[in-house]
Amino acid sequence: MSDERTLDLLEVKIKELRELDKTDGINLSTEIARLEKKLEALRKELYANLSDWERVKIARHPKRPYSLDYIREVFTDFYELHGDRLAGDDRALLVGLARLDDRPIVLLAQQKGRSTQENKERYFGMTRPQGYRKARRAMSLAERFSFPVISLIDTPGAYPGLESEELNIGGAIAENLLAMTNLRVPTIAVVIGEGGSGGALAIGVADRVLMLENAIYSVISPEGAATILWKEKGRMKEATAALKLTAPHLLDLKVIDEAIPEPLGGAHKDPHKTASSLKESLLRHLAEVSDIPPKKLLATRYQRYRSLGSYHTLNDQQSGSSLA
Amino acid sequence: MSDERTLDLLEVKIKELRELDKTDGINLSTEIARLEKKLEALRKELYANLSDWERVKIARHPKRPYSLDYIREVFTDFYELHGDRLAGDDRALLVGLARLDDRPIVLLAQQKGRSTQENKERYFGMTRPQGYRKARRAMSLAERFSFPVISLIDTPGAYPGLESEELNIGGAIAENLLAMTNLRVPTIAVVIGEGGSGGALAIGVADRVLMLENAIYSVISPEGAATILWKEKGRMKEATAALKLTAPHLLDLKVIDEAIPEPLGGAHKDPHKTASSLKESLLRHLAEVSDIPPKKLLATRYQRYRSLGSYHTLNDQQSGSSLA
Amino acid sequence: MAIFKDRHYFRVNLEKKTDESLWMKCKSCGELVFKRRVRENNNICPHCGEYFFLTAQERIESLIDKGSFTDISKPIVASDPLSFQDTKPYPQRIEEAQEKTALASAIIIGSVTIVGIPVVMGVMDFRFIGGSMGAVMGEQICHGMEEAIRRRQSFILVSSSGGARIQEGLFALLQMAKTAAVRGRLAEEHLPFISIMTYPTTGGVQASIASLGDIIIAEKGAMIGFAGRRVIQNTIAEELPANYQTDAFALEHGLIDRVVNREDLREELGKVLGFFVEAQ
Amino acid sequence: MAIFKDRHYFRVNLEKKTDESLWMKCKSCGELVFKRRVRENNNICPHCGEYFFLTAQERIESLIDKGSFTDISKPIVASDPLSFQDTKPYPQRIEEAQEKTALASAIIIGSVTIVGIPVVMGVMDFRFIGGSMGAVMGEQICHGMEEAIRRRQSFILVSSSGGARIQEGLFALLQMAKTAAVRGRLAEEHLPFISIMTYPTTGGVQASIASLGDIIIAEKGAMIGFAGRRVIQNTIAEELPANYQTDAFALEHGLIDRVVNREDLREELGKVLGFFVEAQ
Ligand SMILES: [Zn+2]
Ligand SMILES: [Zn+2]
């Protein structure tokens, strides 16, 4: 079976043929059309049954669109707000006002860096307490002025480190969880890349939880799980399979509401198309949740989280015996 | 006229005579009684007309009782709560639960140090952002569980310094001012020593604002005012007189509700007696404000602050002309 | 999943005790000490003061008024929503943990009195898969808080957990949000929640319910924090101070209200609860 | 106090202008520049970009839609509750400041439109006793917020102040609480408050109303903070970084939302206000 690189090479060749076709007046259109069909078929074959581990690689692909890419394509008039008014301004979690088809919203968006310099500034996309508290401030603003809140989640996890602990990162995450369950405005969260544990959930409690098709969302990274459970970091593929961290799995498990389709091969193959799918989905869900009266919205959200998690219930006979 | 030190010496002598009287069986009681009367008369003469500057010295006297002294004598079961859950635990502003004659309350108490070591730990009684935010957390607790809030104010001012600015001390003070105007429980603030500017006011917005007789409460320290206005730090006596920062002045100006009497010469001459006066006053005011229905309490507090400050109103004729 | 079906639900009864060996050797001072004396001493070595590990049952005993405990846990046990298997299947892990601890899950919910004050209490057991929070623990904590609301009592949670239960994947992570949500109801009802953090209170438990106490008390020697030393050293290789995530570190940085000796915890709780009971 | 009685109340009218000299010399680049050109350029040097000082009148002009200004300040002037005298009597200081600025106090409250959106705006003038906040400024700010509530409009405050007005003693200090209280009403009414901090926004103004904006925007070059360099050096003799209390410092430490060039402020305000107007 062909691999991704071969197909990318083929794509380049087709592009070169098209140039040739144009500049020299040679008619290659039939051949080009055939090649394109072939390429499409090969792609479908290649990507039809992506393994979970392959999806992890797509979710982390260095060319994958990040929040700012979607902010440019999906929203208009992004007006960034800085600072938690307490200790600093985290560059790995951006917040601001924006419009989604003319409707003002509050945006919370985790942002990875592309360059080394940008990654240093953005702590490789890992959110610090200053970021979570800035998000909380933005939530209060949203509530005061009835802006819906949309979260774009993309983080390997909360930033681990001395400063984070000194600023009570656990407490910051916990306070956000509580705040989001009570937020009196419609809320939508989308995992666009990596949904890394508590660091993702801290802006992910919402009326609708969506994922891009190749995004992942997990209680722990595959590498972390492999290290802890298999005592071997190298076994992250097995860990990945066990964790059921992909959008299709999580949709099956009814933990998320929708998996938003990506172009064949992943969002980075066609960022515009991905953005337009994301926008369509956001508009649809926002319209739905906006129609729900506030009281019912909150009750429904509460019920969603209250009822989360499966367990076995034992009948009274079974639970009658005592032991210590 | 005799000065304070001479009188203190006389007091020591009387004490020595009393010892003599006891141990050797010599009857000196008549002489002692006379000396005591004399001492009392001299004290009254000395302290009858304290200048404002003398009161400043009493307010800052190193032996003056501090918050913890009153906490021991006025309240019972003080249960200190630590930390702002954000960045640290300030030792210059203590918060906790306590009882005032069996009634649970939340206490906010600024605390100076006595030893060099303690002053280092308590930043010479200057409150940091961590302290104001801890106080705010305690206010929320008070509100959730309907505890009245009692503040003991004693600080030269908010702690100036790089870390304070980095943690947005101005914002921390501002947020407290807003929170206290809306706090849905009875609140009482007492300036027990130094009420240093915004650093004091940040826990001082209340239904009743009291001062110990020799406490001071000012927009700026006498030294600061002398430096800025007279361009000479040494002219703090004049600045003191101009600032009207003593309890009697502020009572005259109707800015505070009561000046709680201190023993002749200041609270440190008889801390127990001072504590019992403070307690009596607190109980009385707490009983009064507790009788007011919550809605009216808040409306009254709002009105108190809304109407604060005097100015001249010009009639329409005077304000008719335009100019630029 | 069949294995759970024919298992008994272990309702904890503190009265019944199997007496084991009489003596034990203190791992800190090396002295041979009477087991019963250790137990009566809150599992603190009578010689050197070393804190021995407490099971959930022992923790409850050390905190409550003698004889006041009733297990009011929900009769539930873990399911295996992901059919998770690492070096062994998840159901087998559960079964082994149940055998080892004589507990149905990593938490017990009890109705107890402390210094005469009735409260609902949740107590985690670190022996049960590291006290990790899966769907059962999440549900039990919520159940405990709802019982506290029904009874108009305070809720106390004693944490001892490494974080979320990996084997339940995202379901485990989401218990953080679930418990936080129900904690909000307790607040709306003006009922106190006192969180007690013991060794260790970390990861997803510290970053959710445990950090949301009206009052947060750490037992002396507790470890408190979000990301463990190893995670930090693997991720960013940062130098960490010796007191990292200790009780003193948490107090200094404002994460908790108090650090309390184990032997004083019961009295301390009585003192705190007293304020709230009077205010109600 | 008699001196106030026969004074006119200065209601600001931006249309009337006395034309002074035609040219000025830029203190930064030394170039001779047309005064009118400077004024049309938001008081920025057309040669080197230096920001010249803005009076309240100039600040208003630079922010609002031309011709949209109406002075809606309360007709009040300072009294002298403490009969304060330092090197001169307080009433004399007030009078001198009024003469210098052609203003009744250190703040103007206006009804204006910004990019077509009607708002109530307060603008401080640093020339008037350092833009210090006494009872008049406190009352005017509250009046402005109450007008915003009455008109269902946003409130914008442009700060330029060294802090509380020392000459009014505790009355000045308490304006911090007074303005914070009324700001609470604006919040309850779900009306936006946009705080603009310029050079300088410090002391009691920064520690009260100016820091309570829903959105806080700093003009480039602003000085923002509580305690000035000199206070810190006199009190604790600490080393301070070069960027202490600069706009960049405030942004880095999370005190403010944005830093904006003077020439972009009007458009920026239009952009922000747009969001809130639509949401209402
Ligand atoms: Zn031992
Ligand atoms: Zn120039």
Side-chain angles (χ1 to χ4, degrees), chain B residues 276-300:
Chain B
S276 90
S277 302
L278 174 58
K279 184 173 179 179
E280 180 278 318
S281 176
L282 283 174
L283 280 168
R284 182 162 36 81
H285 286 285
L286 186 58
E288 284 175 23
V289 290
S290 300
D291 273 349
I292 304 170
K295 253 195 165 164
K296 199 183 163 199
L297 187 74
L298 260 84
T300 309

Side-chain angles (χ1 to χ4, degrees), chain A residues 159-162 165 168 170 174 178 219 230 242 244 255 302 305-306 308 310-312 314 318-319 322-324, chain C residues 5 9 11 13 75-77 79 82 84 102 139 146 174-175 178 180 185 206-207 225-227 236 238 244-245:
Chain A
Y159 183 72
L162 182 58
E165 299 286 336
N168 195 9
L178 179 51
V219 66
W230 281 266
K244 306 269 194 294
V255 183
Y302 185 82
Y305 286 92
R306 175 65 190 86
L308 243 163
S310 77
Y311 44 79
H312 291 298
L314 305 170
Q318 283 173 304
S319 65
S322 69
L323 196 152
Chain C
K5 293 223 173 115
Y9 173 69
R11 198 162 280 280
N13 180 337
I76 55 177
V77 290
S79 69
L82 309 188
F84 198 95
E139 179 64 23
E146 286 164 346
L174 292 168
Q175 302 308 306
K178 171 170 169 166
R185 290 287 155 107
Q206 194 261 342
F226 182 62
I236 59 165
E238 188 178 27
Y244 183 70
Q245 293 190 340

